[in-house]
Amino acid sequence: MSEALEELRERLERWDELCAQLKELYYKYLDLAAFRSDKCYFPGRKCKRSWDRQYDMGDLTLMWTYIANTAPLCGKLIRALAEVEYKIRLKALESLERYGGVEKKSRPSNEIVNWQLRKPVYSYLVIDGEKLYVIWGEPKGVPHRGRQRSVVLERKILDALLKIKSGIFDELHFNVFNIDHEYERLWLEVPLSESASKLLGGRDKAPVALFRSLGWLLSDDSRVKLVHEAGNPGQVALRLFDWIALVKYATKRLVFDEDKPLVFKLAVRYITKTKIGENPRVYIRPIGFSARVIKETYLRFGIPFGNPKAVIAHGYEVIGVLNNMAIRRHKVESVVDDVNSWMALSATLTSLIIGDGTISPYLIRISAKAKPEGGAARELAKALKVSWHEGKVALWPRLMKLLLPAPPTPAFKKTVKLYKTLLEYPVAVVVNIGGKKYLLNNEKGRFRIGGKKAVELRELLRRVGVEAGYNGRLYIKYKDLMNLAKRGFEVKFLNQMEKEAVKRVPRAVSVPDHETLRRIFEKIAEVARFRTKTYGKHKSIVISLIDKSKFEEVLKLLEASGLRFSVYQKKKMFIIYEQTLVEAILSVVSHLFSAPSLCFSCV
């Protein structure tokens, strides 16, 4: 058994424990969302913008409903689907061991071998009322090809279901699970802007389930047939859950026949062998009525299903429109503008990431599967206004901080990893080295610091054997920070809320005694002039050198004094901002100062 499949079995055994852990993460995310709303990164009651559109109570109610729906998926249905997925994967491994397989493709360079099973494994899921029926094996008398295949197959499966309900088993192998309606969370309807509506069938609103399916279509779904194939244990359970949510929504809200049972097929025909074990590839698709409902739903929302290139182009265009409406630059920060587009964008992107994303603690990348990869990556990057490289699109910090998470589930580990990354995403890091602490900000996956501290930290890092990039600012990679932590240095990553807490803590400022201040400034006055600059209610002290050649001498004098100051090398100038220091200096050597300045450009 592969490590991944063994891990799925362990997650099923520890289901309740893992769900309790996920609920703790969910509560932490609620706190983070409340903080972001209070600070106006997310919509909030007190938020005012420099543009016309204001948040109303409808915006806020919908936002908090969406966030509440990111609670963990731990219900009966998702657990039953995960158990079925585990069983079919296990049966496939047993089939390979018992009946063998035929080697189809080999990759000697990375030791990957694909085997076609001599005896494939099949099962059919039937959702009927409050029950999930799992019927194992392939029914007899079904044509191999032709338009009638799906109709005959669905009829055979529903006939078997009637026999099971009647107690006539006829050597049928089946399981029955009680299920719930947890999928109804994905029915939350998001109002569409005029531009988004034009791309989505002219409709005025669309459910979260549709945007999640759009994300799957842009990643691991086939764009020609209703088929999904996955090697990652747990992914099949989640994709089935999303399909069920979409079909149930359509039968309730789009006037379909809602009394019919839903049928889905699972099959394993191939197993991939690697150094870490054997991994069955599970193929799933809706059958009969379920397939017709999904196709009709795609059609009603303007998705050109059946044409791969058109699906990709259309999907990226939708993402581009949603992104343009959702996020706007406000001063130095990106903030949410249109709440509805923001939620639709989040639902689409998180599903796309779960299917085709590479998730690390500091950066998320999305692989473009469509060919040519470069063209697809370029179009997706253009839609999201980010960069791309070698077929992968990197989500920049503005998206990482604003993207709403998808509900995690123990069924699929990747959903938990994504949730944690969006919750704990480090906007900064504090490094304690050489007895001093340095705060570095995350800039596109690298952590940077500028000014005098950058030079100081660069020298300290060199002493411990760490090379960092420098171009006026110091850049450190995440892996180098982790190496520092492994070597015993204090490295603490901060999310947005934690960074704000660090910024709110007043810094302890040591003020030299009056005699020391008088001696230092009278010495500096020999080669410089002093003035105060006022901005708002605050003052700063500007030290401008008359003799520029004395720059290093003055710098050493200020550093030796322990004063906190900023250096402007180009203008050979020093500025003291700390109000405690400013007041102390003015009280002692005010006679050395020229008239205060209100000019910012002259600094």
Side-chain angles (χ1 to χ4, degrees):
M1 185 185 299
S2 69
E3 291 178 11
L5 189 55
E6 180 67 24
E7 199 174 80
L8 177 58
R9 183 186 64 80
E10 289 176 4
R11 291 202 301 271
L12 288 168
E13 290 175 352
R14 299 173 53 217
W15 188 272
D16 293 336
E17 176 193 345
L18 294 174
C19 283
Q21 293 174 9
L22 290 179
K23 283 180 182 176
E24 290 300 318
L25 288 179
Y26 168 66
Y27 296 141
K28 286 182 181 179
Y29 185 78
L30 291 181
D31 290 340
L32 179 62
F35 161 80
R36 286 176 171 168
S37 178
D38 186 56
K39 293 293 180 181
C40 295
Y41 302 119
F42 284 6
R45 289 185 180 184
K46 300 176 183 177
C47 300
K48 293 181 180 179
R49 294 284 178 251
S50 58
W51 54 88
D52 293 336
R53 194 182 191 292
Q54 298 294 319
Y55 305 127
D56 56 34
M57 286 307 297
D59 289 333
L60 300 179
T61 301
L62 195 61
M63 175 188 82
W64 284 110
T65 303
Y66 188 101
I67 291 172
N69 286 344
T70 65
L73 293 174
C74 288
K76 295 177 181 177
L77 175 59
I78 189 67
R79 182 169 186 172
L81 293 172
E83 288 186 9
V84 173
E85 181 180 352
Y86 172 73
K87 286 180 181 178
I88 196 169
R89 288 180 180 276
L90 192 61
K91 285 177 179 289
L93 293 175
E94 291 170 354
S95 173
L96 179 64
E97 185 178 349
R98 186 172 179 182
Y99 300 104
V102 179
E103 184 177 338
K104 298 298 287 186
K105 293 179 182 178
S106 297
R107 296 181 186 176
S109 58
N110 52 10
E111 299 182 20
I112 295 177
V113 179
N114 293 311
W115 289 86
Q116 183 177 4
L117 295 178
R118 294 186 189 279
K119 189 173 181 180
V121 181
Y122 301 99
S123 70
Y124 291 85
L125 305 186
V126 185
I127 307 286
D128 188 27
E130 306 297 315
K131 301 285 186 182
L132 168 64
Y133 297 87
V134 185
I135 302 171
W136 297 95
E138 185 82 331
K140 297 177 182 178
V142 178
H144 291 291
R145 290 185 178 82
R147 294 182 179 180
Q148 292 302 308
R149 174 174 166 74
S150 180
V151 176
V152 174
L153 186 56
E154 182 182 35
R155 187 173 67 244
K156 292 275 185 180
I157 296 301
L158 294 181
D159 287 345
L161 177 64
L162 287 175
K163 289 180 180 180
I164 291 169
K165 287 182 173 182
S166 304
I168 306 170
F169 301 144
D170 281 347
E171 299 181 356
L172 286 170
H173 300 283
F174 66 93
N175 303 105
V176 184
F177 298 88
N178 292 318
I179 61 172
D180 53 20
H181 297 165
E182 197 174 31
Y183 53 76
E184 290 182 3
R185 283 197 223 166
L186 305 187
W187 293 3
L188 179 67
E189 292 178 317
V190 178
L192 301 174
S193 64
E194 184 178 346
S195 51
S197 176
K198 288 178 181 178
L199 296 173
L200 294 170
R203 307 190 75 84
D204 59 350
K205 57 189 175 182
V208 170
L210 179 85
F211 293 109
R212 284 172 67 100
S213 280
L214 179 58
W216 286 116
L217 275 171
L218 297 174
S219 57
D220 284 348
D221 275 7
S222 166
R223 291 170 280 277
V224 178
K225 299 178 181 178
L226 286 175
V227 170
H228 185 95
E229 191 172 16
N232 295 329
Q235 183 169 321
V236 163
L238 185 65
R239 185 63 189 109
L240 284 167
F241 185 89
D242 285 355
W243 261 337
I244 292 166
L246 186 63
V247 175
K248 288 290 188 179
Y249 169 85
T251 57
K252 287 283 186 180
R253 306 283 174 86
L254 300 180
V255 199
F256 287 96
D257 184 352
E258 60 182 270
D259 295 327
K260 288 189 176 183
L262 309 183
V263 181
F264 297 87
K265 179 179 181 177
L266 287 77
V268 179
R269 300 186 183 92
Y270 293 91
I271 291 180
T272 301
K273 283 188 174 185
T274 65
K275 289 187 292 185
I276 60 173
E278 298 155 337
N279 192 20
R281 284 156 44 193
V282 184
Y283 160 105
I284 55 172
R285 68 184 181 97
I287 299 293
F289 174 71
S290 301
R292 291 194 298 276
V293 170
I294 294 171
K295 285 180 181 178
E296 180 64 23
T297 303
Y298 286 164
L299 180 63
R300 292 194 184 194
F301 283 97
I303 297 173
F305 184 74
N307 184 332
K309 290 183 179 179
V311 170
I312 290 288
H314 184 82
Y316 289 171
E317 189 177 0
V318 170
I319 287 175
V321 166
L322 295 176
N323 185 48
N324 287 336
M325 294 289 295
I327 299 171
R328 185 178 291 201
R329 195 78 173 171
H330 182 57
K331 296 181 180 177
V332 296
E333 289 287 347
S334 291
V335 294
V336 174
D337 183 15
D338 182 72
V339 178
N340 304 323
S341 299
W342 170 50
M343 290 184 290
L345 177 68
S346 295
T348 307
L349 278 185
T350 50
S351 185
L352 176 53
I353 292 165
I354 289 168
D356 265 353
T358 303
I359 304 169
S360 70
Y362 64 95
L363 188 65
I364 291 175
R365 292 185 177 90
I366 299 173
S367 299
K369 280 192 173 176
K371 295 181 180 180
E373 287 81 357
R378 188 186 305 111
E379 291 304 313
L380 180 57
K382 183 180 177 182
L384 292 173
K385 298 178 182 177
V386 295
S387 60
W388 66 279
H389 180 65
E390 294 182 351
K392 291 186 177 181
V393 175
L395 301 193
W396 286 352
R398 65 180 179 84
L399 275 172
M400 296 282 287
K401 288 187 284 188
L402 294 181
L403 198 62
L404 290 167
T409 174
F412 193 20
K413 188 177 179 181
K414 196 172 182 181
T415 63
V416 179
K417 190 175 183 180
L418 176 60
Y419 199 88
K420 281 185 176 180
T421 297
L422 294 179
L423 168 65
E424 299 170 356
Y425 175 68
V427 298
V429 64
V430 174
V431 179
N432 189 340
I433 185 170
K436 292 185 178 181
K437 290 186 177 180
Y438 300 88
L439 180 68
L440 295 87
N441 293 305
N442 187 346
E443 187 175 278
K444 301 177 185 177
R446 298 185 300 172
F447 295 82
R448 64 162 178 80
I449 187 171
K452 183 182 71 173
K453 288 189 175 182
V455 178
E456 190 177 282
L457 181 56
R458 186 186 186 193
E459 184 58 36
L460 289 171
L461 289 171
R462 277 180 176 171
R463 290 177 191 173
V464 297
V466 175
E467 286 296 326
Y470 185 80
N471 59 354
R473 291 177 177 180
L474 182 77
Y475 290 90
I476 308 179
K477 295 179 180 179
Y478 180 86
K479 67 177 182 180
D480 292 328
L481 289 168
M482 293 305 296
N483 287 335
L484 279 175
K486 288 175 184 177
R487 292 168 59 181
F489 294 98
E490 183 184 341
V491 177
K492 185 178 181 183
F493 294 96
L494 308 173
N495 69 14
Q496 208 167 12
M497 188 162 59
E498 291 165 337
K499 182 188 175 184
E500 193 70 22
V502 168
K503 286 167 62 180
R504 285 198 298 266
V505 176
R507 293 181 290 181
V509 181
S510 59
V511 181
D513 60 75
H514 287 191
E515 186 56 38
T516 303
L517 283 174
R518 182 178 290 107
R519 179 175 51 79
I520 292 168
F521 275 81
E522 286 180 350
K523 179 71 174 174
I524 295 174
E526 297 174 5
V527 295
R529 65 175 184 270
F530 310 119
R531 71 175 187 276
T532 57
K533 187 178 71 171
T534 304
Y535 53 102
K537 297 179 181 179
H538 301 282
K539 286 184 178 181
S540 63
I541 291 175
V542 180
I543 303 172
S544 302
L545 294 179
I546 300 169
D547 184 353
K548 306 290 186 183
S549 66
K550 301 292 184 180
F551 177 79
E552 291 297 332
E553 184 181 326
V554 174
L555 176 61
K556 289 178 181 178
L557 190 61
L558 287 171
E559 286 178 338
S561 70
L563 295 172
R564 194 187 296 275
F565 60 94
S566 297
V567 183
Y568 292 80
Q569 292 204 20
K570 285 186 178 180
K571 296 188 177 182
K572 304 297 183 187
M573 189 168 62
F574 308 90
I575 301 181
I576 297 172
Y577 290 104
E578 295 287 355
Q579 294 305 293
T580 309
L581 286 174
V582 170
E583 290 168 9
I585 293 166
L586 290 175
S587 69
V588 177
V589 291
S590 58
H591 61 284
L592 298 175
F593 283 74
S594 57
S597 171
L598 296 175
C599 172
F600 288 88
S601 61
C602 59
V603 173

